[in-house]
Every structure is written in C-alpha cells, then in structure tokens.
Amino acid sequence: MNILILGGGGREHALAWAALQNPKCDVLIVAPGNAGIAEIATCADLDIMDGAAVVAFAEEHAVDFVIVGPEAPLAAGVSDDLRAAGFLVFGPSQAAAELEASKAFTKEVCDAAGAPTAAWARFSDAESAKAHIRAQGAPIVVKADGLAAGKGVVVAMTEAEALDAIDDMFAGAFGAAGAEVVIEEFMDGEEASFFVLCDGLEALPFGTAQDHKRVGEGDTGPNTGGMGAYSPAPVLSDEIAERTMAEIVHPTLAEMVRRETPYQGVLYVGLMIKDGAPRLVEYNVRFGDPECQILMMRLGAQAFDLMHACAEGRLAGAQVVWADDHAMTVVLAANGYPGPYEKGSEIRGLSELPETSFRMTFHAGTARQDARLVATGGRVLNVTARAETLEAARDAAYADVDAIDWPGGFCRRDIGWRVLDDQ
Ligand code: AMP
Ligand code: GLY
C-alpha cells in the first residue's frame, strides 16, 4: 500500500513509525514531515491546507490511503476533497470536524444527545457575556468558539479574570475564532483523555492517556499543547470507559448520523472525572499530541490495521489486543515555550539513543541544517518509552532525556506524578 500521512509533528512521526511496522506499508510519504520523519520516510513539501494540491499529489504518487494528522486540514475540508476524488481517508469530513472547530456546535450536539457536559451559553457581544458572568460568578470558563491552537480557553478563578478574557476575545486576541464566545460552568475533577476509533455508528475504544498541559511542575503555569503523557490512565477505569461509551460517545455518534454528517476517524474525548462519573470537557477530531506517541508505541503495527479498518468502515467486530504494558512520553521544548522562544539551537546526542519498539525519540519541531539537527518549533522532541510498569517506562524515558545534549531546551521532570507515588 502507498500511504500518505499529512502533518509534521511528533504525532505524525509516531503514526509513520507505527505504519512502517506493518507489512501492508510499501511506500510511506509524510507531508511536510520533519527531520526525524525524514530518517524513516519520504518527506514531501506540500501545502496540506490546500485540498486540490493534496489531491493532485495523491494522484501523482498513486496513494492508496491517506491519514490526516492535525485538525486544521480536517476543518478546512481536505478529507472531503480527497474522498470526492476517490481516495481512502482516515479522518472526519469538514462537517464532522465541527466537533473540534466549534465549541458551540459540540455543546449543541451534546445537548441533543443528552451527553453529560458543563452547562453553557453562547454570546456574540461583550455586554451580554459580561452580564452572564456577573450573574454566574467565578470560577467560570470562557472559550473562544473557534480553533485557537489550544489557547482559546480561560479557566477563570475570579470574576475579574473572566471579564478580562471577554475583553481580550472580543478585541480579537484569537482572531475570527473569538467572534463568538462560549461561557461554561467550571467543572472540578481529574482530567483524562479517551481515544475512540469511529466509522459512523461503530466505535472502538483505542486507549486512555493523561496529558500534562501546564508548562510547570506540579501542573502550574500557563497552558501548552502538552508537556508529556502516559498511557493507560488509571483514573479512566474500565467502568468509566464503559459509561463514557454509553453516555457520551454512542449518543454523539448517533446524533451525528441523524444530522447526516457521520463521524469517521479518531475521536479524542477529553473527560473530567469526578466521583466515578465522566463528563465531556471537549472533543478533538484527531489524535492528541503527545498522546498519540504513547498509543502508537503501545499498539505498533496493530494501530495501522485498525485505522485502515476504520477508514474502510470495517470496525464492527474489530478488537484491540492490549499488552499489559505502560508507556510515557516526555516533551522537550525550546526555552521560553509557550511564550516566545528561540529557533535554530543545535541538538546533539540523538544518534546514540536506542530506537526500538520500547524506546523512541519522536521529533516534533526539528530540521537539518547541513549535518546539524536544530530546533524549529516550541515543542521539539518527544522522548518515549514503554515498559512493564509506568515507573520503568518513566526511568527509561528520563534516561534518554538525560543523554540528549540541548542547552536550548527544557522538560518537566514530573510526568506521571499523579500516579507515581514516589514523586
Ligand atoms: P479545551 O480546549 O476545551 O480542552 O480546554 C482546555 C483546558 O481547559 C481543558 O483541558 C481543561 O483543563 C480546561 N477546561 C475546559 N473547560 C473546562 C470546564 N468547563 N471546567 C473546568 N476546566 C475546563
Ligand atoms: N495534548 C493535547 C492535545 O493534543 O490537544
């Protein structure tokens, strides 16, 4: 099979790595890719937001299967263009990608589906939004409706913070994404991520994870795209997973079918768990990054087969065979991230690191400049390990972190702290 993966982060490096372990993979192209991906696959300089260009590229290279990594091309309808041209695609249509692209859309779907989530209201002018905040009081959550690269959410612990967030959003801090805001009840509890493959009405649980979104140790400081993650997440027990499928995922998929926009691809179900009950925080229409890296490391070649079955509508009866294992990934980010950071600093020591089915350093924001490996993004490397216990996975991941020579970067040293009691 000739496979095309769209994207160029750590998530796509992990997807490429898993695809290559599968004997079905003959040719693998990743667009645009990065320096780590270039070591295992062909990277193509292609504008993945341009549906016509992606279709032309797929035709030229006789692509059999396209996996879309990030949300932006999905929200732009690139999967629709590919399907209209006859390509097999893993990833939802533009209409179904609204589950990530619009917070108000997701809330409407949840209400229609009866899925438990925070109480909410939507506003398109600052004065009524502020009146609502004053009536509700803090803590309260203010969200830009549209895609804001994970930055359009303010969890306000005081009324003043919430009112400031309204001013920022209507002043255009998130561009068009903030033309409408959603204000939500603050939910208390422990967060976890649940991944489900969906092909319309069929849904296959595809793993659990816990991400660390704050930049600082002990979950402090500003939000990031994710500083490290582990899988499985014990807080998301089998019982909670079953409840989530019954109360949230299946009703949502049925509502999407009713709207004639069935959901196909991976559904990232962000949950808040309290007193043994799950409530939906958000949906994303793609794998989490860095959560994908640990899921791929745990699933290997199987992940590719199941994503292919999902795209072909063959999920009925499909099963995931889990090993009794644990995986952790630690994100190395450029100094300054998530604020302004420097680009171009050199990274050394990667060539001595193990590259096995238990230990991999996935690249997120890297490039080659002559023989040198340099950082080109905020999140730069995802040092990933799998082992019989989470402690052993953690020790292996941090041993590899310590072998990397990169004064321009940093990481959190406490990934997994909620479940590793020796921290
Ligand atoms: P989102 O982009 O919707 O996932 O929001 C980003 C983060 O904000 C989530 O991962 C949560 O930590 C937090 N958050 C979002 N909505 C709520 C809520 N209603 N209550 C508490 N925390 C929330
Ligand atoms: N790691 C969080 C996300 O991918 O949205």
Side-chain angles (χ1 to χ4, degrees), residues 2-47:
N2 297 344
I3 299 158
L4 172 63
I5 298 178
L6 302 184
R11 168 180 49 211
E12 289 77 24
H13 191 178
L15 290 169
W17 178 82
L20 280 169
Q21 292 176 35
N22 194 300
K24 290 197 185 84
C25 177
D26 297 312
V27 171
L28 179 62
I29 307 174
V30 184
N34 61 39
I37 296 172
E39 285 169 21
I40 60 170
T42 303
C43 291
D45 185 14
L46 173 66
D47 178 2

Side-chain angles (χ1 to χ4, degrees), residues 11 211 213 225-226 268 282 284 286-291 379:
R11 168 180 49 211
D211 187 15
K213 290 194 175 158
Y268 168 144
E282 60 161 350
N284 293 310
R286 48 163 177 91
F287 283 109
D289 186 345
E291 295 95 319
R379 293 188 297 165

Side-chain angles (χ1 to χ4, degrees), residues 260-294:
E260 299 182 356
T261 53
Y263 188 89
Q264 186 263 64
V266 62
L267 188 64
Y268 168 144
V269 186
L271 294 173
M272 192 69 82
I273 299 163
K274 188 163 185 225
D275 302 331
R279 290 169 88 194
L280 184 76
V281 178
E282 60 161 350
Y283 284 129
N284 293 310
V285 299
R286 48 163 177 91
F287 283 109
D289 186 345
E291 295 95 319
C292 184
Q293 289 79 315
I294 44 183

Side-chain angles (χ1 to χ4, degrees), residues 132-143:
H132 179 78
I133 288 169
R134 290 193 189 98
Q136 298 292 318
I140 194 158
V141 181
V142 179
K143 301 185 174 184

Side-chain angles (χ1 to χ4, degrees), residues 5 62 65 120 151-152 213 226 340 353 375 414:
I5 298 178
F65 182 31
W120 69 291
K151 293 178 189 112
K213 290 194 175 158
L353 291 184
D414 67 342

